């Protein structure tokens, strides 16, 4: 029964408990309507995965929430106690600082919620060894920069995390650190990712942009959503092209 699956958590039943409330927002680029009459409530304890093809509206939604982009119409209300954490892979780093300095701010002890942690031990969780921690930000690879941004976002303890393709170029150890961080995270996370293995391990809800401004809400994990999608839409995955053999 897809009707019960599609029951969206923005139907105002628990409106007062939402940490972010999005109401009737529109966003267009020329004739391309990316978001149309879009509603959403976000609650603590949810790991919401946003799916969709490139240009479907995933990153636009996150940028509207973070305030980097304004919707053409509609409202976005952020709770008074909400602290947003955003992994922006294009965020400039201080090229004169080392990895450890950029993450720790020069502090030997980091205050992570109810516990304190040695800053060098924290940095090492993201697969930066003792010598790597002294590398200047100016020489970092794309994967290293992604790990650094991830460490900074989780350290800053936002209670709403916005993660746009956070698993890009991550090694296995850092991926596990991200999974553990999300599993133990008491707030709300909004995640854009195409990493199916990662999604199956962390997501609790799915918001799927399925084309023509159509958005489908699903409560459950990624594999369950895939089964549901195939029942509703059939196997819409692109088929591998077949080519004629070259005559010799």
């Amino acid at each position: 029964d897809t009707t019960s699956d599609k029951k969206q958590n923005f139907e105002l039943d628990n409106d007062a408990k939402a940490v972010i409330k999005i109401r009737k927002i529109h966003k267009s680029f020329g004739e391309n309507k990316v978001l149309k009459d879009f509603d959403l409530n976000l609650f603590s304890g949810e790991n919401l995965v946003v799916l969709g093809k490139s240009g479907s509206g995933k990153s636009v939604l996150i940028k509207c929430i973070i305030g980097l982009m304004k919707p053409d119409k509609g409202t976005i209300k952020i709770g008074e106690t909400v602290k947003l954490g955003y992994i922006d892979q294009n965020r400039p780093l201080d090229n004169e600082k080392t990895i450890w300095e950029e993450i720790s701010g020069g502090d030997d002890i980091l205050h992570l919620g109810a516990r304190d942690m040695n800053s060098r031990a924290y940095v090492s969780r993201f697969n930066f060894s003792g010598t790597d921690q002294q590398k200047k930000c100016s020489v970092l690879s794309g994967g290293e920069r992604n790990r650094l941004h991830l460490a900074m976002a989780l350290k800053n303890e936002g209670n709403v995390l916005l993660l746009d393709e956070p698993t890009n170029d991550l090694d296995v150890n850092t991926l596990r650190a991200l999974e553990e961080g999300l599993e133990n995270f008491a707030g709300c996370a909004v995640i854009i990712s195409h990493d199916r293995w990662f999604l199956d391990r962390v997501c609790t809800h799915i918001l799927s942009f399925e084309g023509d401004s159509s958005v489908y809400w699903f409560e459950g994990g990624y594999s369950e959503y895939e089964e549901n999608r195939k029942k509703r839409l059939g196997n819409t995955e692109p088929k591998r092209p077949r080519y004629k053999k070259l005559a010799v």
Side-chain angles (χ1 to χ4, degrees):
D1 181 8
T2 59
T3 302
S4 59
D5 289 328
K6 198 175 179 179
K7 183 180 179 182
Q8 298 165 321
N9 73 339
F10 50 75
E11 289 182 344
L12 310 184
D13 295 340
N14 298 310
D15 180 73
K17 297 180 181 179
V19 294
I20 294 179
K21 305 172 188 177
I22 300 174
R23 294 291 177 271
K24 304 298 180 186
I25 65 171
H26 293 245
K27 187 63 183 178
S28 299
F29 298 93
E31 295 183 357
N32 181 22
K33 295 181 180 179
V34 178
L35 298 173
K36 181 181 178 182
D37 282 328
F38 184 85
D39 296 297
L40 182 66
N41 276 349
L42 293 175
F43 298 96
S44 291
E46 291 183 350
N47 286 338
L48 174 65
V49 170
V50 185
L51 302 176
K53 295 180 180 179
S54 178
S56 61
K58 306 184 304 297
S59 295
V60 170
L61 173 61
I62 282 189
K63 288 179 180 178
C64 285
I65 294 174
I66 204 72
L68 295 177
M69 189 176 288
K70 290 186 177 181
D72 302 326
K73 290 193 295 184
T75 61
I76 299 177
K77 294 184 179 180
I78 310 294
E80 293 181 0
T81 61
V82 168
K83 183 179 179 182
L84 297 174
Y86 178 45
I87 293 186
D88 180 3
Q89 297 177 26
N90 297 317
R91 176 183 176 274
L93 301 172
D94 188 335
N95 288 331
E96 296 304 313
K97 287 186 178 180
T98 65
I99 291 173
W100 175 77
E101 290 171 336
E102 186 76 353
I103 296 174
S104 70
D107 296 327
D108 291 325
I109 301 296
L110 298 179
H111 304 289
L112 306 173
R115 64 192 179 98
D116 293 342
M117 186 173 187
N118 180 277
S119 60
R120 293 195 179 275
Y122 175 80
V123 175
S124 69
R125 291 183 62 193
F126 297 87
N127 209 28
F128 292 117
S129 67
T131 54
D132 284 340
Q133 292 184 17
Q134 299 309 118
K135 290 173 68 173
K136 295 282 189 179
C137 293
S138 58
V139 300
L140 299 185
S141 67
E144 288 171 326
R145 292 176 68 89
N146 198 16
R147 282 188 276 142
L148 189 153
H149 284 306
L150 182 61
M152 292 172 66
L154 294 178
K155 181 205 74 169
N156 290 335
E157 296 197 286
N159 48 20
V160 176
L161 293 179
L162 304 169
L163 312 177
D164 194 344
E165 298 290 357
T167 64
N168 283 355
D169 302 315
L170 291 188
D171 55 87
V172 173
N173 290 336
T174 309
L175 192 57
R176 287 175 179 168
L178 174 58
E179 291 169 11
E180 290 174 3
L182 290 173
E183 287 172 0
N184 298 320
F185 185 56
C188 171
V190 181
I191 307 162
I192 296 175
S193 178
H194 294 90
D195 187 330
R196 298 186 177 195
W197 184 79
F198 170 73
L199 297 182
D200 253 339
R201 295 174 66 87
V202 302
C203 79
T204 61
H205 300 75
I206 287 175
L207 189 69
S208 179
F209 287 76
E210 297 186 337
D212 298 323
S213 301
S214 174
V215 182
Y216 190 85
W217 171 265
F218 183 83
E219 188 169 340
Y222 181 78
S223 292
E224 297 169 300
Y225 163 76
E226 275 291 281
E227 292 180 9
N228 173 277
R229 184 187 63 81
K230 288 177 180 178
K231 288 179 181 178
R232 290 185 295 112
L233 306 176
N235 189 359
T236 58
E237 293 293 327
K239 295 182 178 179
R240 185 175 180 180
R242 299 177 65 182
Y243 301 96
K244 292 182 179 179
K245 291 184 178 180
L246 293 174
V248 180

